[in-house]
Amino acid sequence: DTWCHSVFTNNIPPLAIMKSCIAVLVLVAAASARVVPMHHTNDCLPNTTLALLSKVATDLSVVSNYTGKALVAAALLEKNATLADDLRKIGGDIPTLGVTLDNNLQYVARSSCGQCSGIVSAVDNWVDALDTDLKSVDPQWEENKVWQQVDKLLKLAFAYLETTGCKIKK
């Protein structure tokens, strides 16, 4: 978070910041990844996995926050007024959705019997909310280059969450 914040405040173009922050978290995820046995959906997860989940949830919230900030900053540079409004809307919504994901995953991490099913449910709700939000401004968002960083955020989240040993639906 500190590194991303320092990059964000040094007049670097917003999309470059977002790419950099996501790249750093990809490296963190790769470094955190270990050979983890896949857990059954309804088994209680070990405490070490729940501790990892808590960290992953926090990291994804931070990346969601900076992704949102970068989209809002990109809106300032956008000449097309409609697209600028869309960037501001989605940029404002992504951090909120990231906090909701963090809260839901922290709830699973703190529970006495946190399960993969809780993680999968939280992620499914987050993805559905992001998809609905993006489709409200661009029904074909997955094919529009403007929203590629959001797609990268989703892919990062799936990869990072799978370090818990839970199979995340993509």
Side-chain angles (χ1 to χ4, degrees):
D1 183 29
T2 304
W3 180 84
C4 286
H5 178 74
S6 68
V7 169
F8 198 85
T9 57
N10 286 320
N11 295 325
I12 296 172
L15 291 177
I17 294 164
M18 190 166 41
K19 287 178 185 177
S20 298
C21 290
I22 289 173
V24 167
L25 276 208
V26 167
L27 293 173
V28 170
S32 300
R34 55 201 189 329
V35 178
V36 179
M38 293 306 284
H39 299 290
H40 295 288
T41 303
N42 295 318
D43 288 348
C44 294
L45 296 169
N47 288 338
T48 54
T49 301
L50 295 174
L52 174 63
L53 174 63
S54 180
K55 180 185 178 342
V56 167
T58 300
D59 288 349
L60 289 174
S61 182
V62 168
V63 172
S64 294
N65 187 41
Y66 283 106
T67 299
K69 285 181 179 183
L71 291 173
V72 169
L76 297 172
L77 305 173
E78 179 55 50
K79 291 177 178 32
N80 178 313
T82 302
L83 181 55
D85 288 344
D86 293 347
L87 288 165
R88 274 190 292 280
K89 178 192 182 320
I90 300 301
D93 293 348
I94 285 178
T96 303
L97 294 172
V99 168
T100 300
L101 176 64
D102 183 23
N103 289 339
N104 291 338
L105 292 175
Q106 295 296 349
Y107 177 81
V108 173
R110 286 189 309 269
S111 69
S112 60
C113 180
Q115 301 172 336
C116 287
S117 59
I119 296 171
V120 170
S121 177
V123 172
D124 284 349
N125 290 339
W126 178 64
V127 170
D128 289 347
L130 274 172
D131 185 57
T132 299
D133 203 30
L134 284 158
K135 282 182 178 173
S136 75
V137 298
D138 184 351
Q140 303 297 320
W141 74 268
E142 293 161 321
E143 295 153 21
N144 187 334
K145 288 185 178 189
V146 170
W147 307 112
Q148 278 182 343
Q149 294 309 313
V150 177
D151 188 54
K152 286 181 183 179
L153 172 66
L154 289 167
K155 288 177 181 164
L156 166 71
F158 297 146
Y160 204 17
L161 284 161
E162 284 189 348
T163 66
T164 63
C166 296
K167 181 68 178 155
I168 306 298
K169 294 182 260 179
K170 298 174 179 125

